[in-house]
Amino acid sequence: MRIGVPKEIKANEYRVALVPAGAAALVQHGHEVVIEGGAGEGSGFSDDLYLEAGATILDTAEEVWATAEMIVKVKEPIEPEWSLIREDQLLFTYFHFAASEPLTRALMESGSIAVAYETVQLSNGELPLLTPMSEVAGRLSILEGAKYLERFYGGRGLLLGGVPGVLPAHVVILGGGVVGTNAAKMAAGFGARVTLLDISLPRLRYLSDVMPANVNLLYSNRYNILEQIEQADLLIGGVLLPGKKAPSLVKREDLKRMLPGAVIVDVAVDQGGCVETIYPTTHENPIYEVDGVIHYAVANMPGAVARTSTLALTNATLPYAITLANKGWKAACLEDPALLLGLNVVHGDVTYEGVAEAFDMEFVEPEAVLSR
Ligand SMILES: NC(=O)c1ccc[n+]([C@@H]2O[C@H](COP(=O)([O-])OP(=O)(O)OC[C@H]3O[C@@H](n4cnc5c(N)ncnc54)[C@H](O)[C@@H]3O)[C@@H](O)[C@H]2O)c1
């Protein structure tokens, strides 16, 4: 199969969908890999590295889209790319269709096959192609929070781990999933005093087995949240109700109870955030202040560490990309129920229920399109 990797053109997107090692693996499986010149530069991978891996470099995105049977990307195609998508072309990338009807319609009209990273789902409910980005964002939330605790940025002027004779900062984490666990490990490693709250008792039990001694675990309810935020130097938001808007756990009036110069990093901002006063910010302008509390709410945090994020993402996506290329999308989806759940739009039909529901469109069972 001919696999194409265009350069990402969405603003501030420096990731690339395939690293040279991935290109080499696909070539080893007998596939042809074409990469748009400069596609890997934002993540530190030069064209020469792809050439050494056996890929071909093409000058323009048009050439990549025009010749590849499967396109592998990071972000959803944006409007200038829509006219390049060809009938029967297989697209494997993040789409987040439910957030954009125009994108959904564009893919329906293209007659292509869209397999979305974000809906590939294992039988235990895990989303294996979202997990690596939550790992990155969880760890990064502590680094960003530590920075904005500095006095210069309006923070409390605290060093996360303290020093001998001076108490460490108190980090409160809402949600003990992938983001929360990675944030807790990072904060604990810096020597902070950490309290993590979750509503899932099985999850809290698991975390009590694996977390270091400076991480305390607490059941999440309104009473405990209020008690904790009063003492928090850094508050991390990492809750998720799958497919829904994040619950608003910290209300506007609660900010008055927080310490002046405390920092909130609401990682869940991409699902509306779990702090009422949160709105999405950008890497150029990441913070703002409400009632003396610093708010950080960058919606695409992994972009700040593009090389790590690219490697983490492609570690997870490559095995699926190889399967799709080796077997073709129909056989691959027939054999792997996780990949079948990734099918969102096929030859004009919407095959993912949540997307059909979002836009009141007809839902076609993915199994039905496999037998066509
Ligand atoms: N901003 C970014 O760049 C970025 C990057 C990656 C992920 N995210 C977002 O971070 C959020 C968390 O992702 P995740 O992968 O950790 O999800 P996850 O499903 O692994 O974890 C969510 C956790 O929240 C808990 N929870 C639900 N309701 C709660 C409540 N009321 N109080 C306390 N805990 C509660 C759940 O029990 C679960 O353990 C998501 O919205 C995700 O999209 C954002």
Side-chain angles (χ1 to χ4, degrees), residues 75-94:
K75 296 305 283 184
E76 74 282 358
I78 59 173
E79 210 170 333
E81 294 171 313
W82 293 350
S83 62
L84 304 176
I85 305 171
R86 291 182 302 117
E87 199 174 340
D88 266 342
Q89 199 165 40
L90 174 59
L91 272 67
F92 187 41
T93 186
Y94 285 123

Side-chain angles (χ1 to χ4, degrees), residues 193-273:
R193 189 162 63 90
V194 183
T195 305
L196 183 152
L197 299 93
D198 202 293
I199 43 162
S200 161
L201 287 175
R203 185 70 186 168
L204 290 177
R205 286 193 188 104
Y206 163 75
L207 291 174
S208 86
D209 284 341
V210 297
M211 280 293 153
N214 53 340
V215 177
N216 293 307
L217 301 163
L218 197 57
Y219 186 71
S220 175
N221 57 32
R222 177 92 182 127
Y223 183 90
N224 285 344
I225 290 172
L226 283 182
E227 195 179 67
Q228 288 302 313
I229 64 170
E230 284 176 2
Q231 315 159 27
D233 299 306
L234 172 58
L235 177 68
I236 307 291
V239 302
L240 175 67
L241 302 176
K244 294 195 184 146
K245 194 200 160 293
S248 198
L249 301 180
V250 178
K251 311 280 179 210
R252 198 208 147 109
E253 66 266 22
D254 301 341
L255 292 188
K256 289 195 291 286
R257 297 167 174 251
M258 292 185 70
L259 297 163
V263 175
I264 297 176
V265 176
D266 197 349
V267 185
V269 63
D270 60 343
Q271 300 286 338

Side-chain angles (χ1 to χ4, degrees), residues 10-342:
K10 204 169 175 176
N12 293 318
E13 183 52 70
Y14 300 107
R15 286 173 292 176
V16 62
L18 201 62
V19 297
L26 284 162
V27 169
Q28 247 170 23
H29 279 271
H31 303 292
E32 195 186 338
V33 177
V34 293
I35 313 264
E36 183 182 346
E41 262 164 28
S43 295
F45 297 110
S46 67
D47 289 351
D48 284 346
L49 289 173
Y50 287 101
L51 286 170
E52 279 167 29
T56 304
I57 300 292
L58 297 178
D59 287 340
T60 63
E62 283 75 9
E63 289 169 85
V64 174
W65 284 92
T67 53
E69 292 155 272
M70 170 159 83
I71 294 283
V72 189
K73 269 179 62 55
V74 177
K75 296 305 283 184
E76 74 282 358
I78 59 173
E79 210 170 333
E81 294 171 313
W82 293 350
S83 62
L84 304 176
I85 305 171
R86 291 182 302 117
E87 199 174 340
D88 266 342
Q89 199 165 40
L90 174 59
L91 272 67
F92 187 41
T93 186
Y94 285 123
F95 279 102
H96 297 287
F97 279 118
S100 170
E101 185 166 347
L103 173 72
T104 308
R105 294 208 177 273
L107 265 290
M108 290 167 76
E109 278 158 30
S110 71
S112 61
I113 300 107
V115 181
Y117 290 166
E118 70 275 8
T119 65
V120 172
Q121 189 168 24
L122 304 178
S123 55
N124 64 2
E126 191 192 326
L127 302 165
L129 306 187
L130 272 186
T131 300
M133 296 302 95
S134 288
E135 289 169 338
V136 170
R139 290 174 186 220
L140 192 56
S141 69
I142 299 301
L143 298 183
E144 296 294 343
K147 179 164 79 199
Y148 294 113
L149 271 176
E150 289 175 22
R151 191 67 197 94
F152 175 77
Y153 295 107
R156 299 199 69 217
L158 283 180
L159 183 62
L160 216 52
V163 288
V166 181
L167 283 175
H170 184 204
V171 178
V172 175
I173 301 173
L174 302 176
V178 182
V179 165
T181 304
N182 279 277
K185 276 193 334 203
M186 196 74 161
F190 277 119
R193 189 162 63 90
V194 183
T195 305
L196 183 152
L197 299 93
D198 202 293
I199 43 162
S200 161
L201 287 175
R203 185 70 186 168
L204 290 177
R205 286 193 188 104
Y206 163 75
L207 291 174
S208 86
D209 284 341
V210 297
M211 280 293 153
N214 53 340
V215 177
N216 293 307
L217 301 163
L218 197 57
Y219 186 71
S220 175
N221 57 32
R222 177 92 182 127
Y223 183 90
N224 285 344
I225 290 172
L226 283 182
E227 195 179 67
Q228 288 302 313
I229 64 170
E230 284 176 2
Q231 315 159 27
D233 299 306
L234 172 58
L235 177 68
I236 307 291
V239 302
L240 175 67
L241 302 176
K244 294 195 184 146
K245 194 200 160 293
S248 198
L249 301 180
V250 178
K251 311 280 179 210
R252 198 208 147 109
E253 66 266 22
D254 301 341
L255 292 188
K256 289 195 291 286
R257 297 167 174 251
M258 292 185 70
L259 297 163
V263 175
I264 297 176
V265 176
D266 197 349
V267 185
V269 63
D270 60 343
Q271 300 286 338
C274 55
V275 174
E276 199 173 49
T277 44
I278 218 75
Y279 60 78
T281 59
T282 60
H283 291 293
E284 287 87 18
N285 213 353
I287 57 166
Y288 60 94
E289 184 238 292
V290 182
D291 290 349
V293 177
I294 312 294
H295 292 49
Y296 172 101
V298 174
N300 63 331
M301 292 175 68
V305 286
R307 190 174 169 94
T308 300
S309 299
T310 284
L311 287 162
L313 177 65
T314 57
N315 283 344
T317 54
L318 184 67
Y320 290 101
I322 290 176
T323 305
L324 286 166
N326 285 353
K327 299 184 174 168
W329 67 272
K330 276 191 183 177
C333 291
L334 255 178
E335 286 172 27
D336 184 352
L339 210 43
L340 182 67
L341 284 169

